[in-house]
Amino acid sequence: NLNGLSVDDIGVELVIARQEGNGAYVINKVEPLHLTKQDADIATFQGEATASFSGAFQYDLRFFPKNPVLRHRRDLPLVKWI
């Protein structure tokens, strides 16, 4: 639910990471998701990721703010991991 935001105000990515022996996660791949459908405030994003390496991986969705005046998306503490 966009809750009044435009789809141009957010970015969505699939983040693929592997857990190292020390417990830290190392990001192996980031794939952007693209808007495929919008009905009022509901937006649907889709993307593809090819399994190019073997093993156990963590898959996460990352939502972040997009705006031309932001120098970097970390400028706002609005990244949400689900």
Side-chain angles (χ1 to χ4, degrees), residues 13-20 24-31 53 57-58 60 62 73 81:
E13 299 172 327
L14 172 66
V15 179
I16 304 169
R18 172 181 238 145
Q19 190 172 21
E20 299 293 311
Y25 284 92
V26 175
I27 294 176
N28 289 78
K29 194 171 194 180
V30 177
E31 290 289 336
F53 21 78
F57 291 89
Q58 177 83 22
D60 294 300
R62 179 165 53 194
R73 62 182 173 200
W81 292 90

Side-chain angles (χ1 to χ4, degrees), residues 18-53:
R18 172 181 238 145
Q19 190 172 21
E20 299 293 311
N22 63 2
Y25 284 92
V26 175
I27 294 176
N28 289 78
K29 194 171 194 180
V30 177
E31 290 289 336
L33 301 183
H34 306 283
L35 180 70
T36 58
K37 180 178 165 187
Q38 184 177 4
D39 291 320
D41 275 354
I42 305 296
T44 303
F45 290 82
Q46 182 176 339
E48 292 185 21
T50 303
S52 56
F53 21 78

Side-chain angles (χ1 to χ4, degrees), residues 54-68:
S54 62
F57 291 89
Q58 177 83 22
Y59 294 86
D60 294 300
L61 292 175
R62 179 165 53 194
F63 298 83
F64 56 91
K66 285 174 48 177
N67 189 293

